[in-house]
Amino acid sequence: MEVVLRQHDEFLGNRVDKKYGLPILIKFIDAEKDLSIQVHPDDDFARENENDFGKSEMWYVVDATDTASLVHGFAHDVNEAMLRQAVADGDLDKHLNKVHVHKGDVFYTPAGTIHGIGAGCLIAEIQESSDVTYRVYDYNRVDKNGQKRELHFAKAMRVLNMKTTAKYKQRARLVHYYPGCSREILCRCQYFETERITVTKGLAFTVMDTSFQVVLCINGCGGLETSEYKKPLRFKKGDCIFLPAGLGRCFIIGECEILKVRV
């Protein structure tokens, strides 16, 4: 993808600053065990200290076991001394806001929010195009050489939001019904917009020359047609399709559930 975009930066669209390349990343995270507790900096801090972008992100829970949970913020106000002691004692959990998750849950995690994905979660993550991560806690695990993974405590303390995170509650979302599909906005922030669309017969939409779009299939299967190419591009659960800016009218057929992302 990077090679293609270097040769055809017009695919990004005229609203995207092309000198930085693809502005978002989309990935699946399948957590077989609890992942590390971490935080990401905002754009200003990352630009000054890492020569990179910050990282705000959203999670869509594609699937989850009955006991799956994740960490999203703090359960109460904290300070550096409290966190330093908790990490040393191995009981940071007592300060963390843990949320039991279900399939279809959505979380927006702005830069500065402490977070961690728990065992049993299959997550679709949409994020700023950055991999600047400050690891706060890793459950005292060791690598194959018996060494603990590096923590980035000092930098984390400079970017963490140490205020209580409001008790997470799934927001009611407005679903719009159309012939052949239903649509709902899951997340809208300054970096991207994510929409969940359930296709029962067909969906028509337009990719303008302002920006690319991305289609991520999270259930079922279908086909993608364009006004120029009538032979459907077949896709199934787990497939991710990049739609270049200016592609024009697009059609999705079949029975599927997709996340459609644009910047």
Side-chain angles (χ1 to χ4, degrees):
M1 175 63 74
E2 290 184 6
V3 173
V4 171
L5 291 179
R6 280 199 296 269
Q7 296 174 348
H8 297 280
D9 61 5
E10 71 275 12
F11 289 173
L12 293 172
N14 54 36
R15 195 171 59 196
V16 176
D17 193 336
K18 298 176 178 58
K19 67 180 179 181
Y20 297 116
L22 195 63
I24 60 170
L25 297 177
I26 299 175
K27 61 183 73 169
F28 282 111
I29 301 174
D30 189 0
E32 296 182 353
K33 60 182 180 181
D34 292 341
L35 304 186
S36 63
I37 306 301
Q38 53 189 238
V39 65
H40 308 297
D42 63 18
D43 290 339
D44 291 339
F45 186 93
R47 193 175 294 114
E48 181 178 346
N49 295 274
E50 308 289 354
N51 193 31
D52 205 337
F53 291 103
K55 184 177 173 184
S56 292
E57 60 193 12
M58 71 150 281
W59 294 335
Y60 179 85
V61 181
V62 179
D63 208 350
T65 63
D66 291 340
T67 59
S69 65
L70 51 76
V71 170
H72 196 260
F74 289 111
H76 47 253
D77 290 1
V78 297
N79 57 47
E80 180 175 342
M82 293 167 62
L83 297 179
R84 188 178 295 278
Q85 188 63 54
V87 169
D89 294 342
D91 61 356
L92 184 64
D93 276 5
K94 66 184 181 184
H95 298 307
L96 301 176
N97 183 39
K98 286 199 168 183
V99 184
H100 184 63
V101 299
H102 307 85
K103 181 178 180 179
D105 282 351
V106 177
F107 296 82
Y108 177 60
T109 307
T113 304
I114 197 165
H115 61 277
I117 298 174
C121 293
L122 175 60
I123 302 286
E125 180 178 278
I126 296 95
Q127 59 161 92
E128 285 185 82
S129 187
S130 168
D131 208 24
V132 179
T133 298
Y134 300 145
R135 194 178 300 117
V136 180
Y137 184 61
D138 197 34
Y139 303 98
N140 294 319
R141 290 183 289 224
V142 297
D143 61 22
K144 61 182 180 180
N145 299 316
Q147 301 295 316
K148 291 182 181 180
R149 290 205 296 174
E150 180 185 5
L151 300 181
H152 313 97
F153 193 84
K155 284 185 175 179
M157 292 306 102
R158 296 175 63 188
V159 304
L160 267 173
N161 177 2
M162 298 192 187
K163 297 296 184 181
T164 306
T165 301
K167 195 68 176 177
Y168 181 80
K169 183 178 180 181
Q170 187 71 25
R171 291 186 301 108
R173 296 190 295 266
L174 182 63
V175 181
H176 296 277
Y177 294 92
Y178 304 92
C181 69
S182 63
R183 308 175 69 159
E184 56 184 316
I185 299 295
L186 300 183
C187 179
R188 181 183 283 138
C189 65
Q190 69 183 93
Y191 305 107
F192 53 79
E193 177 185 282
T194 303
E195 185 179 16
R196 178 169 64 182
I197 304 173
T198 301
V199 180
T200 53
K201 291 183 180 179
L203 164 72
F205 62 97
T206 301
V207 183
M208 308 292 287
D209 58 6
T210 51
S211 174
F212 67 91
Q213 295 187 35
V214 176
V215 168
L216 178 66
C217 182
I218 55 175
N219 201 26
C221 59
L224 173 72
E225 302 175 354
T226 71
S227 53
E228 187 174 354
Y229 300 101
K230 298 298 185 181
K231 185 177 181 180
L233 172 65
R234 297 294 177 182
F235 61 82
K236 61 185 184 304
K237 182 177 180 179
D239 288 342
C240 188
I241 305 172
F242 177 88
L243 305 175
L247 185 61
R249 199 69 169 160
C250 296
F251 308 90
I252 289 180
I253 57 175
E255 294 187 9
C256 56
E257 191 174 11
I258 63 170
L259 300 183
K260 189 163 76 70
V261 185
R262 62 182 180 180
V263 298

